Amino acid sequence: MDSLIVKLYQSPKTILSNKDLALIWQENNEKSLYAKTAYYVKQKALIRLTRGVFAKNKDYNPKELATSIYIPSYISFETVLREAGVIFQHYDTIFVVSKWPKTMTIDKNTFTFRKLKDFVLFNPAGIVIKDNYSVATTERAFLDMIYLFPNYYFDNLKSINWEKCEELVKIYNNKELIKRLAKYRKNYA
């Protein structure tokens, strides 16, 4: 097997950007990187999902793809809250915080990107790295949600750690959000 493909499969990532490929292959020349990538896509050793983003095979992680489309970004909102049992409504869409608002479908996966201010997006508090992608903690996702949707209805707030929310709310630099958090805490805690 080709040594460049072997290097790809040694990476734990299921999604690879042009930057990832350049690092793995130690390729500085943009034209050469483009030629190699095009060759491996044609050979079906790589799957091109969108401009500059590739999968090693069809068994890639859609959440990893979601955070590879726009960098920086992290999984949040309904996706995290549903998995934490805070909301019960099922969504096939993966919800992501990024610099640009957009909804797109790539290879049967739908992604909704919601814009938050840069100082919130770039703050790592309440964000963890999991399986090669960034994801908000339940508390950070809850705050992201009430930041954008002030009157959102939540099914079950038992799993929310209100003390963690009190710490994280500071990163938003928003007095209305602090009031909203206090109201939710009073009504549901």
Side-chain angles (χ1 to χ4, degrees):
M1 188 181 254
D2 190 319
S3 67
L4 294 180
I5 293 302
V6 170
K7 285 182 180 182
L8 281 187
Y9 280 87
Q10 288 171 340
S11 168
K13 293 178 149 213
T14 64
I15 297 293
L16 300 154
S17 68
N18 279 333
K19 286 180 184 173
D20 294 324
L21 294 171
L23 285 170
I24 291 168
W25 291 339
Q26 299 173 341
E27 182 58 70
N28 301 342
N29 184 311
E30 206 173 305
K31 285 182 182 172
S32 179
L33 177 66
Y34 179 80
K36 286 176 184 173
T37 305
Y39 172 78
Y40 288 115
V41 167
K42 196 173 184 179
Q43 297 300 313
K44 300 200 185 323
L46 271 178
I47 301 166
R48 183 181 185 276
L49 296 170
T50 187
R51 199 172 100 208
V53 180
F54 306 87
K56 292 193 263 189
N57 57 47
K58 284 284 186 187
D59 296 328
Y60 64 86
N61 185 332
K63 290 178 182 170
E64 195 179 333
L65 171 58
T67 59
S68 298
I69 296 167
Y70 295 129
I71 296 170
S73 61
Y74 62 91
I75 307 292
S76 187
F77 302 111
E78 292 94 328
T79 304
V80 171
L81 297 173
R82 168 99 172 47
E83 290 173 4
V86 174
I87 61 174
F88 300 152
Q89 179 69 40
H90 176 74
Y91 296 92
D92 288 326
T93 300
I94 295 174
F95 294 91
V96 187
V97 173
S98 78
K99 287 177 70 92
W100 297 278
K102 187 173 186 170
T103 295
M104 63 174 63
T105 300
I106 298 171
D107 190 33
K108 293 182 253 162
N109 296 296
T110 302
F111 307 102
T112 294
F113 297 90
R114 292 180 177 146
K115 180 178 173 36
L116 290 182
K117 292 185 172 163
D118 282 357
F119 63 85
V120 176
L121 173 62
F122 287 100
N123 192 314
I127 297 175
V128 294
I129 306 295
K130 177 182 168 188
D131 301 327
N132 299 314
Y133 63 88
S134 299
V135 61
T137 60
T138 305
E139 291 75 17
R140 174 81 181 244
F142 172 73
L143 290 169
D144 287 347
M145 189 65 101
I146 65 172
Y147 180 71
L148 288 187
F149 306 101
N151 299 311
Y152 195 87
Y153 173 78
F154 299 93
D155 298 299
N156 176 16
L157 291 175
K158 287 185 184 114
S159 65
I160 296 291
N161 180 325
W162 298 104
E163 286 70 35
K164 281 185 185 173
C165 285
E166 295 291 340
E167 282 300 306
L168 288 171
V169 75
K170 297 170 189 166
I171 69 174
Y172 296 84
N173 194 22
N174 185 302
K175 288 183 174 116
E176 285 303 310
L177 183 61
I178 292 168
K179 288 178 191 171
R180 256 177 252 151
L181 174 61
K183 185 176 149 191
Y184 275 105
R185 185 174 186 171
K186 191 179 121 209
N187 291 336
Y188 297 101

